[in-house]
Amino acid sequence: MTGEVTLPQVPSSPDGPGDLRVDAHTGARTFVVASRQERPNLPELTCPFCPGGLEAPEAYEVRFIQNRWPAMPKERCEVVLYTPEHDATFWSLGVPGARKVIDLWAERSAVLGARGDIDYVLLFENRGAEVGATITHPHGQIYAFDFVPDVPLRELERGGRVGEPGERLVAEAPGWRAWVPDAPTFPYALVLCPDANVPDLPSLDDAGRDGLAELLVDVLARLDRLFDAQTPYMLWIHQRPFDGGDWPNAKLHVEIVTPWRAPGVTRYVAAGELGSGVYFNPVPPEDAARALREA
């Protein structure tokens, strides 16, 4: 495996778990996972992530589990439980609790990345029903791909540039800064980036992990204060591929977006945007940064 990516062949079994298809027209890669149609929507009586529940039979602080409804085969989809507290949020964990999650993210990145069949480890969180979360208990997920997905690959091919904050700076923590991108797709979006050239989570030292924990707690609390509600958001972490390539431009960073453009008001991505790949943002990023600074 090298830094160059060859599109995979379409699997021969159309109904197998995690059936990877490649669109002949666009080159887009899609996993067709019919089994996920059987996934339960919202648990009615008990939370499977609370201690004593289906996925957490014993007490824990943070833990990972295999996803019972994986999008890909071969134990490449995991769930990360941030806390045993059902009604917590990521920011309510405080810096010590957030640091435990970051340590587990780094550990799982290293373990999965060391596998010969893994090229890229993506960590992400969907919070809120508006972005598809089916369980409210604080948790995130890990997808370990056997190729480098297109979005991080495009970033790497562009030199790994994450931009500069300028007047769009929102918050700082030791060794880290958070800002609104200069051309965000969503009205309220954030990039969190270390000052040093750190390529991936396993390479982040103690001070860097503490700084990331502090900044995540800070900006996620700002989102809730901004809208005076538990704001739905999507969070993902891009890092260096684990495919054995050099990737000298890889730089660890976190991206966070919310679908809301006002309290409870969703910003929909419509046909003109999806059909063109050009997006129309109703909130100037400088205004978004100012609102988040003041939150």
Side-chain angles (χ1 to χ4, degrees):
M1 292 181 285
T2 67
E4 297 182 2
V5 175
T6 301
L7 288 177
Q9 298 297 313
V10 176
S12 57
S13 173
D15 298 318
D19 175 22
L20 180 60
R21 310 281 184 91
V22 180
D23 188 278
H25 179 54
T26 65
R29 289 176 277 199
T30 299
F31 280 94
V32 178
V33 194
S35 62
R36 286 174 68 85
Q37 279 288 76
E38 303 170 7
R39 181 178 57 165
N41 188 14
L42 292 171
E44 295 182 359
L45 299 176
T46 61
C47 173
F49 296 160
C50 284
L54 177 65
E55 306 291 3
E58 299 177 355
Y60 68 92
E61 291 186 317
V62 295
R63 65 173 294 171
F64 80 94
I65 56 175
Q66 294 297 323
N67 194 321
R68 192 176 291 270
W69 305 94
M72 296 179 288
K74 300 180 180 178
E75 297 188 336
R76 289 194 275 128
C77 298
E78 298 180 351
V79 177
V80 177
L81 309 184
Y82 297 161
T83 171
E85 300 297 326
H86 182 81
D87 295 323
T89 65
F90 192 102
W91 62 261
S92 75
L93 303 179
V95 174
R99 170 63 195 268
K100 292 175 183 176
V101 175
I102 291 166
D103 286 340
L104 184 56
W105 282 343
E107 175 187 319
R108 296 312 302 161
S109 292
V111 170
L112 290 165
R115 286 173 40 175
D117 62 335
I118 301 301
D119 284 0
Y120 196 84
V121 179
L122 177 73
L123 304 106
F124 65 96
E125 179 188 353
N126 296 312
R127 186 228 212 180
E130 295 91 335
V131 295
T134 57
I135 298 175
T136 58
H137 191 117
H139 70 285
Q141 299 186 62
I142 303 175
Y143 280 3
F145 295 87
D146 57 0
F147 57 90
V148 182
D150 289 342
V151 171
L153 180 60
R154 285 198 301 270
E155 292 179 356
L156 291 162
E157 289 175 340
R158 289 177 56 84
R161 295 177 298 228
V162 292
E164 289 294 331
E167 63 179 310
R168 290 166 282 98
L169 181 68
V170 172
E172 296 179 278
W176 285 81
R177 292 180 292 173
W179 64 88
V180 176
D182 56 358
T185 301
F186 288 87
Y188 293 92
L190 288 158
V191 173
L192 285 62
C193 196
D195 297 332
N197 288 320
V198 179
D200 51 43
L201 281 164
S203 300
L204 201 57
D205 62 16
D206 281 339
R209 295 183 187 192
D210 286 341
L212 175 56
E214 181 177 330
L215 194 57
L216 280 170
V217 167
D218 183 338
V219 299
L220 292 175
R222 287 175 190 269
L223 282 175
D224 281 2
R225 291 197 299 268
L226 176 66
F227 294 117
D228 193 25
Q230 287 205 2
T231 305
Y233 65 76
M234 294 172 281
L235 177 156
W236 59 89
I237 300 176
H238 282 170
Q239 57 184 330
R240 174 173 53 188
F242 293 89
D243 64 347
D246 290 334
W247 303 108
N249 297 318
K251 188 167 186 177
L252 173 69
H253 62 281
V254 183
E255 298 184 46
I256 304 169
V257 300
T258 174
W260 281 2
R261 57 185 176 86
V265 180
T266 298
R267 176 267 199 266
Y268 292 101
V269 178
E273 295 171 302
L274 291 175
S276 67
V278 179
Y279 297 89
F280 302 86
N281 188 342
V283 179
E286 293 77 14
D287 291 351
R290 186 179 308 111
L292 285 164
R293 283 196 300 270
E294 295 172 354

